[in-house]
Amino acid sequence: MIKNTENPYYNLFLKQKNNQLKVAKASRNQRVKKLNALQRAIEITYRNNIKEALKKDLGKPSIESEMTEVYQIIGEIKHAKANLHKWRRDKKVKTPLSMLGASSYIKYEPKGVCLIISPWNFPFNLTFGPLVSAIAAGNTAIIKPSEMTPNSSALMKQIVASVFDEDEVALVEGEIETSTQLLKLPFNHIFFTGSPMVGKIVMKAASEHLSSVTLELGGKSPTIIDETANLKTAAKKIMWGKFMNCGQICVSPDYVLIDKSVKEKFISECKGWLDKYYDKDPKQSDAYGRIVTSKHFNRLANHLEDAKLKNATIHYGAETDESTKYISPTLISDLKDDASLLHEEIFGPILPIVSYDTLENAIAYINSKERPLALYVYSKSRTNTNKVISNTRAGSTCINNNVIQYANHHLPFGGINNSGIGKSHGYYGFKAFSNERSVVKQNTYGITELLFPPYTNLKEKLAKLTVKWF
Ligand code: NAD
């Protein structure tokens, strides 16, 4: 039994642990009922409150709240409800001839008591998204959302309490200390979304109990634009993908790598789209958000200062206002190799544009860095696109668009190494919260019994034949 009585969350953990087997036994219909209740809360009861909280925390435009928060969660719920019967059904698999007389299948069983730690940039989506998978798979969960978006976290606590008893799902608000205490408990699975730096802390803590982890992390996601790309549509999509949510998106293009022959034309197209999207005045535009906290505002302002000191060229924006945590959409090039913008994940509305001589050099540049969460390619050349994909590694790739790969529930979502471990969304999220239990059933006399001791020369020969033929 767990001996951790001094931990403030021990009792809550224990309640869920004691309730876990009951929750695990819930039928498909019972799980669907729970998902329906969550769907009703988000889609109907609290929909406007969600948008208000996001406006307060992030200045998020209403349509972005609808599309990147409400729609994503409801989509995840609908997809889970429609496919749950298929996902959780035992999956029959082949059995080798050497095991003649046996049959085999995979049983999907819930991992148990899970911890979900979420970030602030899409607070509802990145908290309830994993929760949907956890519930679909039959787990209990304790959730720790981000302290950076207090209005959203308080509302999520209310939503969770309105739908679940705390011995099934509970939300705990708090800062780093809260996560630290929770991470001391022997959760069966930890689903963490956040920075690579904190991801390492989570994985270290998980190793204490050998809890399994899904780490949805971040990093610098590059965008390659080659000389054949349609620059107008590339600029249209990149200006949308980069500056939505004020650039605070894990899969937004962190920087552009562009063939030097088309750089100026691309920048001019970008300026045109930015003027159009935000009516030449992003500060007054309803379509443009704000930086989440003063700490993040200062981090981004320091990046800009560093770039300016090193004589970078500002093509657009670089306007800041600390009192409203406003940073205008910014296009910047001619950065020195040691510019901080080229080394740290930006996670804000600043787009470095770096030109390259050859595609091979662009690929080598990407491969000299950590493996990204997303890698985008804009090109009309299939040869170039294939070259980029086959010579790099990334969590996901979008060709001639960006960010939208996140919204396809049929695809696994996640990073690789520094950008993440494990996958989420749809079936892959269900799998993350499930133990794939191998079951072999001996139906008749097993042929393997022929090889039981005492060992003889004949059995030795039979063993050799088995190696050769089966
Ligand atoms: P963060 O890592 O600072 O915080 C994430 C969560 O961890 C928060 O709940 C926070 O309270 C908690 N936390 C912070 N420090 C901790 C510590 N020392 N010990 C234990 N818990 C701690 O990340 P963030 O600033 O909230 O989000 C931004 C990062 O998240 C970026 O790197 C971004 O790329 C990444 N992100 C990834 C995805 C994805 O799906 N892969 C989605 C959104 C954001």
Side-chain angles (χ1 to χ4, degrees):
M1 207 55 204
I2 315 148
K3 291 194 184 79
N4 211 338
T5 43
E6 277 172 21
N7 190 303
Y9 306 108
Y10 172 74
N11 284 339
L12 177 60
F13 176 85
L14 204 60
K15 270 189 195 170
Q16 293 208 354
K17 190 175 161 66
N18 291 336
N19 191 32
Q20 213 306 291
L21 275 182
K22 189 174 144 218
V23 173
K25 283 185 185 134
S27 65
R28 174 198 168 262
N29 283 350
Q30 286 165 324
R31 291 186 197 176
V32 166
K33 246 185 179 170
K34 293 174 199 182
L35 292 173
N36 277 337
L38 185 61
Q39 179 173 351
R40 258 195 317 278
I42 290 164
E43 200 175 5
I44 300 164
T45 320
Y46 293 100
R47 190 178 193 144
N48 287 334
N49 307 62
I50 289 174
K51 292 199 273 184
E52 275 164 28
L54 287 167
K55 190 82 193 164
K56 282 187 198 154
D57 286 333
L58 287 153
K60 211 173 257 202
S62 169
I63 187 162
E64 283 186 20
S65 297
E66 282 289 344
M67 292 313 295
T68 62
E69 303 261 12
V70 178
Y71 169 75
Q72 295 300 327
I73 307 163
I74 300 302
E76 194 72 40
I77 292 177
K78 286 183 181 165
H79 187 59
K81 286 192 303 186
N83 292 286
L84 192 50
H85 66 288
K86 205 167 62 197
W87 295 345
R88 71 191 295 250
R89 177 166 76 202
D90 295 346
K91 278 194 183 56
K92 203 168 162 16
V93 296
K94 286 183 183 169
T95 306
L97 217 53
S98 57
M99 293 167 67
L100 198 70
S103 58
S104 316
Y105 63 96
I106 301 167
K107 186 168 187 55
Y108 291 86
E109 54 188 24
K111 284 197 171 161
V113 187
C114 302
L115 174 63
I116 297 172
I117 301 180
S118 55
W120 50 263
N121 59 330
F122 293 95
F124 292 89
N125 177 6
L126 297 174
T127 303
F128 288 136
L131 180 64
V132 170
S133 301
I135 295 166
N139 297 275
T140 68
I142 298 179
I143 300 167
K144 209 302 275 171
S146 175
E147 65 279 20
M148 307 273 177
T149 39
N151 295 289
S152 302
S153 293
L155 180 59
M156 284 193 281
K157 189 176 173 71
Q158 201 181 333
I159 294 174
V160 165
S162 75
V163 177
F164 300 98
D165 291 331
E166 68 169 12
D167 60 0
E168 182 162 6
V169 182
L171 187 146
V172 176
E173 285 180 277
E175 304 193 5
I176 294 176
E177 182 51 24
T178 305
S179 292
T180 307
Q181 289 298 337
L182 285 166
L183 285 167
K184 288 182 184 163
L185 296 167
F187 284 96
N188 299 110
H189 187 70
I190 301 172
F191 190 105
F192 170 80
T193 309
S195 59
M197 192 189 78
V198 180
K200 290 176 191 172
I201 295 172
V202 170
M203 197 161 172
K204 219 176 198 171
S207 73
E208 193 59 37
H209 302 289
L210 293 176
S211 309
S212 54
V213 292
T214 304
L215 303 176
E216 294 283 355
L217 310 178
K220 293 182 84 62
S221 295
T223 294
I224 292 186
I225 303 174
D226 79 0
E227 72 286 6
T228 70
N230 181 329
L231 298 177
K232 196 179 181 65
T233 61
K236 181 182 188 180
K237 288 160 186 165
I238 295 167
M239 293 305 95
W240 166 75
K242 175 70 189 185
F243 297 109
M244 181 176 28
N245 206 29
C246 231
Q248 302 165 114
I249 309 181
C250 58
V251 286
S252 74
D254 186 272
Y255 63 99
V256 161
L257 276 171
I258 187 161
D259 186 288
K260 66 175 193 273
S261 65
V262 291
K263 177 184 152 192
E264 293 309 323
K265 173 115 184 7
F266 171 71
I267 291 173
S268 147
E269 292 290 352
C270 290
K271 289 177 178 174
W273 287 113
L274 287 175
D275 281 349
K276 199 174 156 107
Y277 289 167
Y278 307 117
D279 209 12
K280 296 192 176 165
D281 190 359
K283 201 169 189 181
Q284 302 305 326
S285 168
D286 288 342
Y288 194 68
R290 293 294 181 268
I291 304 305
V292 66
T293 58
S294 298
K295 186 176 144 216
H296 281 280
F297 173 89
N298 287 322
R299 179 181 62 79
L300 291 160
N302 288 341
H303 278 317
L304 278 179
E305 210 43 50
D306 172 74
K308 282 180 192 163
L309 276 173
K310 291 170 183 160
N311 295 322
T313 308
I314 308 282
H315 299 277
Y316 198 97
E319 197 192 319
T320 60
D321 175 0
E322 190 169 2
S323 65
T324 55
K325 291 178 276 165
Y326 169 79
I327 297 181
S328 61
T330 300
L331 305 176
I332 193 163
S333 77
D334 303 321
L335 286 159
K336 298 278 181 301
D337 288 346
D338 65 349
S340 60
L341 280 169
L342 294 181
H343 296 278
E344 289 162 34
E345 179 181 9
I346 298 171
F347 219 60
I350 306 168
L351 183 67
I353 299 164
V354 179
S355 52
Y356 67 78
D357 294 327
T358 64
L359 191 57
E360 287 72 19
N361 283 348
I363 290 170
Y365 182 82
I366 290 170
N367 287 338
S368 71
K369 299 185 176 295
E370 297 282 7
R371 291 170 163 185
L373 183 59
L375 189 162
Y376 302 114
V377 196
Y378 290 83
S379 174
K380 284 188 201 139
S381 157
R382 187 180 293 182
T383 310
N384 283 356
T385 308
N386 288 344
K387 189 185 271 184
V388 171
I389 293 178
S390 60
N391 287 293
T392 56
R393 296 291 174 271
S396 63
T397 279
C398 208
I399 302 159
N400 293 325
N401 208 335
N402 51 203
V403 178
I404 58 165
Q405 78 276 19
Y406 181 89
N408 185 349
H409 304 296
H410 300 280
L411 283 172
F413 181 79
I416 171 168
N417 301 129
N418 194 68
S419 55
I421 293 176
K423 302 287 169 183
S424 60
H425 289 189
Y427 172 60
Y428 304 93
F430 173 85
K431 248 173 68 140
F433 283 97
S434 300
N435 173 43
E436 290 171 289
R437 185 174 187 157
S438 308
V439 183
V440 175
K441 185 171 177 226
Q442 193 65 55
N443 300 310
T444 58
Y445 175 80
I447 195 167
T448 38
E449 289 174 39
L450 287 175
L451 298 178
F452 286 1
Y455 298 133
T456 60
N457 284 343
L458 178 65
K459 288 180 184 175
E460 175 96 26
K461 277 183 194 151
L462 267 175
K464 282 183 179 159
L465 280 176
T466 308
V467 173
K468 188 163 183 188
W469 296 110
F470 300 118

